[in-house]
Amino acid sequence: GNPTRTAFEECIAKLEGGTQAMAASSGLAATSLIINTLKAGDHILCCDDVYGGTNRYFNTVVSRFGVEVDMVDPTNTELFESKMKPNTALVWLETPTNPMLKICDIKGTVEMVERKFAGKEKPIVVVDNTFASPYFQRPLELGATLVLSSVTKYINGHTDVVMGVIATKNEELAKKLRFLQLAVGPCPSPFDCYLALRGARTLHVRMRQHASNSIAIAKWLETGEKSKYVLKSGAPRPAVPSPTRTG
């Protein structure tokens, strides 16, 4: 380990309301740590609108190792629940989603998993919290097993670090992820951890201003004649064509 990385991980664990955090060299590196807890024959149920790198990784890399992947609209709760299988080992949410800003019901999904797998081994529920950050949303408090963030974006906030982080309250799973952090090796450098720790200190100031600015811009765009539709997180959604991703 490294004391600077440990300091950053302890900071994130507290921000997310967890007990443990594991830093990685990128958001996708953190994702790969989670995926490495799975085995061939497992099933991932993922929301249909996710960060492009996650989509690409799940559907072109992970799927080649005998892991099934289904991408389903999480706002259609009946459809989402119907896609859960006996071998579902991981439920992956991202909220707000990237890029369409869909809002997933974290608590409702956790309750769905509890109901569907009552008396059985339950899937891990992961929430990618990159867009909201722990300032606006704390998925662990809503029942999620793991929360993941691309530190590259809001947590660091200075465009000089590429990093990811996972936080949890589940000590057994944290132990597995800590082992994989060392066994697979996607650890960030001490200096990157120092920079990210610096960035986290101003997260609250920046997120408040981001929210204020984005609301003002959205309101202005809504008055513009050239705006066909404006997507605002949490607002009623206009009829928008679904994004098409090919890679």
Side-chain angles (χ1 to χ4, degrees), residues 31-246:
T31 299
S32 73
L33 283 178
I34 297 171
I35 297 304
N36 270 294
T37 66
L38 305 182
K39 62 184 184 304
D42 284 342
H43 171 247
I44 299 171
L45 179 58
C46 180
C47 54
D48 62 340
D49 184 44
V50 289
Y51 166 58
T54 304
N55 187 319
R56 182 173 57 243
Y57 177 51
F58 283 2
N59 287 292
T60 66
V61 179
V62 177
S63 60
R64 293 192 291 112
F65 292 90
V67 175
E68 299 176 61
V69 180
D70 279 321
M71 313 286 286
V72 183
D73 182 359
T75 64
N76 186 336
T77 54
E78 289 186 7
L79 177 63
F80 199 77
E81 183 171 1
S82 73
K83 295 298 182 179
M84 290 184 182
K85 303 179 180 182
N87 62 329
T88 300
L90 185 69
V91 175
W92 190 281
L93 300 178
E94 185 176 296
T95 182
T97 64
N98 178 0
M100 302 302 288
L101 300 180
K102 291 182 181 180
I103 299 297
C104 306
D105 182 352
I106 299 171
K107 186 176 181 180
T109 302
V110 170
E111 291 172 350
M112 183 191 303
V113 169
E114 294 284 341
R115 181 175 65 252
K116 192 83 171 179
F117 292 87
K120 305 173 186 176
E121 185 175 357
K122 296 176 178 59
I124 297 168
V125 178
V126 181
V127 177
D128 185 333
N129 202 32
T130 298
F131 268 18
S133 86
Y135 179 76
F136 285 122
Q137 178 172 267
R138 301 176 83 181
L140 298 181
E141 295 179 353
L142 298 172
T145 320
L146 299 174
V147 56
L148 172 144
S149 289
S150 172
V151 177
T152 312
K153 300 169 178 83
Y154 291 128
I155 290 177
N156 178 58
H158 290 73
T159 67
D160 53 7
V161 167
V162 174
M163 193 188 298
V165 70
I166 306 161
T168 187
K169 295 179 183 179
N170 187 312
E171 297 296 331
E172 182 181 351
L173 191 51
K175 187 175 180 180
K176 290 180 182 179
L177 290 167
R178 187 75 68 191
F179 170 78
L180 288 167
Q181 187 186 37
L182 301 176
V184 180
C187 299
S189 72
F191 188 66
D192 280 352
C193 291
Y194 163 78
L195 291 174
L197 191 56
R198 164 219 58 186
R201 292 190 179 103
T202 59
L203 178 65
H204 62 297
V205 177
R206 292 183 284 104
M207 294 309 290
R208 281 201 301 264
Q209 196 60 51
H210 285 317
S212 175
N213 290 350
S214 64
I215 290 170
I217 291 169
K219 287 181 177 178
W220 177 78
L221 287 171
E222 286 176 328
T223 65
E225 295 180 359
K226 295 184 179 180
S227 298
K228 291 184 178 180
Y229 49 80
V230 178
L231 293 178
K232 292 190 297 184
S233 182
R237 299 185 62 79
V240 182
S242 297
T244 301
R245 286 184 171 150
T246 57

